[in-house]
Amino acid sequence: MFQKLKDFFYLHSKKSLAVAGLFSLVLILISNIIDVEVEPRARNFYFSPPAGIEHFQFGFQESTADALWIRVIQDFDFCEELAGEKICKGSGWVYQIIHSISRLSPHFRDAIYFGGLMLTVVVNDIEGASKIFNRAVELFPDDWPILYAAAYQAMVEEKDQPKAGRLLQAAASHGAPAWVYALATKMYMEAGQQEMGERLYESLKHLGMSEEILQQVRKRLNQQKN
């Protein structure tokens, strides 16, 4: 009797081991399929946040903004499509992330400021960078480093001298070095806006600006006249 019970359990244990082995083999095959076909696609998948994301966070806007910032800094140089030699197609994935952050957390200065810089310097998404700097100026109108960076974008990338002049003038009036006034004057004069340059000079004179800065501005004005 005992021998028959022993043989019974031994036979079933062998069957259980066979089933377990087959199950393990299936799991290994599935794992290999996932590794080969799914993971590479997942690594290369870049999701852009949906429009109006800030309206669907129910109090978690700041947390979502932080999560998006952590995500984008891992691939700050990502460009999904080139529009020319070393120029990324406008308003790409990095722009979409930074734009969403600016909506979710309008006071997240560093993300918006450095996001704009990275878009223009690293990604070469000129269109996206200009939009982010416009947004940054809207959110931080008294922040002179942001105003100065936006002026650089307008001057070098957008080739919009009047806009650059206005931003430089605003930057100087909010704490930038005083020589920035002279640079603003140069932008006005190169754009053919003599009157704007003269008005800037008169306003600086009225504000009691130092004679050194006034001379620099006057020199710029006279150079353009001649």
Side-chain angles (χ1 to χ4, degrees):
M1 171 65 76
F2 289 108
Q3 184 62 41
K4 289 182 178 180
L5 288 174
K6 183 178 179 181
D7 292 342
F8 175 83
F9 285 117
Y10 177 75
L11 178 63
H12 280 76
S13 65
K14 288 183 69 176
K15 289 182 179 179
S16 297
L17 287 172
V19 171
L22 180 61
F23 183 69
S24 298
L25 179 60
V26 171
L27 287 179
I28 291 171
L29 289 172
I30 292 173
S31 176
N32 287 336
I33 291 171
I34 291 174
D35 285 342
V36 172
E37 296 186 3
V38 177
E39 283 192 1
R41 283 187 291 173
R43 283 195 295 267
N44 295 321
F45 232 161
Y46 293 83
F47 292 99
S48 296
I53 186 176
E54 67 274 15
H55 302 302
F56 303 99
Q57 298 305 304
F58 309 106
F60 291 94
Q61 286 89 343
E62 299 293 333
S63 298
T64 303
D66 289 340
L68 287 176
W69 178 242
I70 292 172
R71 174 66 189 94
V72 76
I73 61 178
Q74 298 176 56
D75 290 291
F76 236 144
D77 60 345
F78 178 68
C79 174
E80 55 267 63
E81 184 179 351
L82 290 173
E85 187 178 356
K86 298 183 179 180
I87 301 295
C88 191
K89 185 177 179 180
S91 302
W93 179 77
V94 174
Y95 161 77
Q96 295 293 336
I97 300 292
I98 302 301
H99 172 73
S100 295
I101 291 173
S102 77
R103 297 294 175 181
L104 287 162
S105 182
H107 302 295
F108 197 164
R109 177 196 181 274
D110 286 352
I112 300 168
Y113 174 51
F114 290 112
L117 290 175
M118 295 302 285
L119 277 166
T120 191
V121 175
V122 178
V123 185
N124 282 323
D125 180 348
I126 306 306
E127 177 184 314
S130 294
K131 290 179 180 178
I132 291 300
F133 278 124
N134 289 341
R135 176 71 171 156
V137 170
E138 175 188 340
L139 295 173
F140 304 96
D142 300 332
D143 190 317
W144 79 258
I146 285 179
L147 292 166
Y148 188 85
Y152 177 87
Q153 179 71 12
M155 177 176 58
V156 176
E157 303 295 353
E158 300 175 29
K159 311 299 182 186
D160 188 338
Q161 310 298 6
K163 178 182 179 181
R166 292 192 298 271
L167 289 167
L168 287 169
Q169 183 178 350
S173 65
H174 287 100
W179 55 261
V180 174
Y181 279 118
L183 187 56
T185 305
K186 179 182 179 181
M187 292 299 100
Y188 286 138
M189 303 310 296
E190 288 184 356
Q193 297 188 353
Q194 178 76 30
E195 184 179 353
M196 288 291 292
E198 293 288 351
R199 286 182 179 180
L200 175 58
Y201 176 80
E202 292 299 328
S203 66
L204 295 178
K205 191 175 181 179
H206 178 73
L207 290 171
M209 190 59 62
S210 69
E211 187 62 31
E212 180 182 358
I213 298 301
L214 288 174
Q215 288 179 2
Q216 290 182 28
V217 173
R218 187 74 262 170
K219 182 179 179 180
R220 293 286 187 185
L221 292 170
N222 292 335
Q223 285 176 344
Q224 294 298 322
K225 285 181 178 178
N226 298 329

